[in-house]
Amino acid sequence: MEQVKKTAAIFLVLAMIFSLTACGSNDGDSNQNTTAAITVYNWGDYIDPTVIDDFEKEYGINVTYETFATNEEMYVKLSSGGSNYDVIFPSDYMIARLIKEDMLHKIDMSKITNYKHIGEQFKNLGYDPNNEYSVPYMWGTVGILYNTTMVDDPVDSWDILWNPKYEKDIFMLDSQRDSIAVALKKLGYSLNTRDEAQLEEAKQELIKQRPLVLSYVGDEVKDKMIAGEAALAVVWSGDAIYCMWENEDLAYAIPKEGSNKWFDAMCIPKSSKNKEAAELFINFMTDPEIALRNAEYIGYSTPNTAAMEMLDEEIRNDEAAYPDLESLDNCEVFEDLSDIIGLYNRIWDEVKASQ
Ligand code: N2P
């Protein structure tokens, strides 16, 4: 009997030790997978990196941070399914597409307590009419950054980018939607046209322009323009502002034919394995102090009213950075044209392959 009791006791102790270790290691694992790590996929040069460290410290959540150069690149990576992104930063038209394709989670807005700091003019926009899927991050325009010591013509029309005088002195954006938009606006068409003849004309314009273009570039345009490597560049407004901080010979203009105004926002793709941590990150990024640090670091314009009020007066009153949204009425927001994406891809391939 004693022997049976002894064996039972040993068995019990062993079972307890086993269940404790099993439990412990399970907890550890699930912590790692569900609450302790997120993957953020953002545009290049689009955050103050110390903000990521501060988020990790504050919440004990490890951030894997990856970058992309265009919405299209982001979409391909996201839809290829290989990666589990928790927070992404698409623009308006791409948000509309991702919603349509059921690729985004609805965000639990009760968790985004800082959402109240977002200006009303950045809410209920066409791409997310009920503010269910996105929290605004930055906004801006597309225009021409030019070096006033190298350009003596007025910069008020897209036409200047076709002036042979500036041969190999022009940078264009390596982004199909943006570059095709420049050609469409030059021709007086909507940048959301689905008219094949108009798109064909735009393609011919870009092919005609090709010999004047020094190169199609991404984030590197900033260093190149600051260094005076070209006279003219098509850029996103935030990059223009950053460059003007660094080189006072540079100026920015939105051509009179009109342009693109855009809104980038934070979203949670369906592939996210950790929606709650993603919401913590989005809320952290929307904190006025954090939004201010990001805006000051990258040069882009924040839709966060509380952050904007803390910005230097000089930046806040800069027409390039904070134009009156209403005054931009000849600027259009991109609409989702994914139903004719094949045509866009073909046009872009032909332009890049020309010359
Ligand atoms: C930052 C890219 C800005 C995104 N490098 C413009 N939508």
Side-chain angles (χ1 to χ4, degrees):
M1 197 59 197
E2 247 345 83
Q3 189 56 37
V4 173
K5 266 192 191 160
K6 228 173 162 179
T7 320
I10 290 170
F11 184 77
L12 202 71
V13 168
L14 281 177
M16 276 168 70
I17 291 172
F18 179 77
S19 78
L20 270 179
T21 25
C23 237
S25 75
N26 259 350
D27 263 9
D29 277 345
S30 70
N31 252 342
Q32 288 240 312
N33 293 336
T34 57
T35 55
I38 54 170
T39 302
V40 173
Y41 196 29
N42 193 1
W43 297 79
D45 291 353
Y46 218 32
I47 196 168
D48 174 344
T50 63
V51 159
I52 305 173
D53 302 338
D54 288 358
F55 174 78
E56 289 182 320
K57 264 183 237 137
E58 183 153 342
Y59 291 99
I61 296 172
N62 186 42
V63 176
T64 303
Y65 192 79
E66 289 180 32
T67 62
F68 56 86
T70 64
N71 280 296
E72 287 67 30
E73 180 190 344
M74 186 273 300
Y75 178 84
V76 168
K77 192 83 184 286
L78 186 66
S79 53
S80 71
S83 34
N84 294 325
Y85 296 119
D86 297 290
V87 180
I88 55 172
F89 291 65
S91 307
D92 36 58
Y93 73 99
M94 188 53 74
I95 295 172
R97 176 177 188 180
L98 295 173
I99 294 173
K100 193 180 77 189
E101 296 181 1
D102 198 25
M103 288 172 72
L104 296 183
H105 274 302
K106 282 191 178 172
I107 297 173
D108 180 351
M109 287 297 183
S110 72
K111 303 271 172 55
I112 315 299
T113 50
N114 287 318
Y115 191 67
K116 58 178 183 285
H117 301 300
I118 300 292
E120 288 308 309
Q121 67 273 43
F122 302 102
K123 294 180 180 169
N124 305 99
L125 295 175
Y127 59 87
D128 183 10
N130 301 315
N131 313 312
E132 294 169 303
Y133 297 92
S134 61
V135 175
Y137 180 58
M138 295 287 164
W139 68 284
T141 55
V142 172
I144 301 175
L145 178 69
Y146 61 102
N147 190 312
T148 53
T149 67
M150 300 160 91
V151 178
D152 41 26
D153 300 289
V155 182
D156 60 355
S157 162
W158 294 114
D159 285 342
I160 195 165
L161 303 176
W162 274 260
N163 185 339
K165 195 165 134 187
Y166 300 106
E167 183 176 358
K168 294 280 179 256
D169 229 356
I170 299 170
F171 286 123
M172 288 289 283
L173 273 172
D174 192 8
S175 158
Q176 64 178 54
R177 192 69 201 261
D178 292 291
S179 287
I180 294 171
V182 166
L184 286 168
K185 287 312 243 185
K186 173 186 191 277
L187 292 163
Y189 301 141
S190 164
L191 49 69
N192 289 313
T193 186
R194 292 167 188 280
D195 182 312
E196 287 194 26
Q198 293 183 352
L199 285 161
E200 182 63 26
E201 254 187 272
K203 180 187 86 183
Q204 293 304 339
E205 281 300 310
L206 291 173
I207 290 174
K208 198 163 88 193
Q209 185 206 26
R210 192 69 179 88
L212 309 184
V213 176
L214 183 54
S215 55
Y216 285 89
V217 288
D219 286 332
E220 66 274 25
V221 74
K222 296 196 288 289
D223 288 342
K224 290 179 182 297
M225 288 303 285
I226 292 166
E229 287 182 28
L232 300 144
V234 174
V235 296
W236 294 301
S237 48
D239 287 348
I241 290 146
Y242 181 86
C243 290
M244 293 187 292
W245 288 344
E246 302 292 318
N247 180 341
E248 56 182 25
D249 294 335
L250 297 171
Y252 179 70
I254 299 173
K256 58 176 184 277
E257 298 89 351
S259 184
N260 167 235
K261 60 182 167 200
W262 52 262
F263 306 93
D264 293 341
M266 295 173 279
C267 300
I268 306 176
K270 284 253 164 104
S271 60
S272 168
K273 298 264 186 297
N274 201 343
K275 185 166 179 277
E276 278 177 29
E279 283 160 352
L280 280 178
F281 183 82
I282 291 173
N283 194 46
F284 185 78
M285 292 285 276
T286 313
D287 174 273
E289 301 279 349
I290 299 295
L292 175 72
R293 274 165 61 192
N294 283 324
E296 282 178 336
Y297 188 90
I298 65 177
Y300 278 81
S301 316
T302 175
N304 190 308
T305 310
M308 189 187 153
E309 281 163 4
M310 290 187 278
L311 271 172
D312 255 19
E313 206 172 336
E314 207 183 313
I315 305 176
R316 214 179 334 130
N317 296 332
D318 181 349
E319 257 299 288
Y322 291 95
D324 180 5
L325 251 190
E326 314 274 284
S327 77
L328 295 176
D329 51 7
N330 64 350
C331 293
E332 298 174 90
V333 180
F334 283 137
E335 287 165 14
D336 170 34
L337 298 182
S338 50
D339 53 311
I340 55 162
I341 192 71
L343 179 57
Y344 259 79
N345 289 340
R346 186 174 58 69
I347 291 175
W348 189 236
D349 287 347
E350 286 183 41
V351 170
K352 295 294 279 296
S354 69
Q355 193 202 18

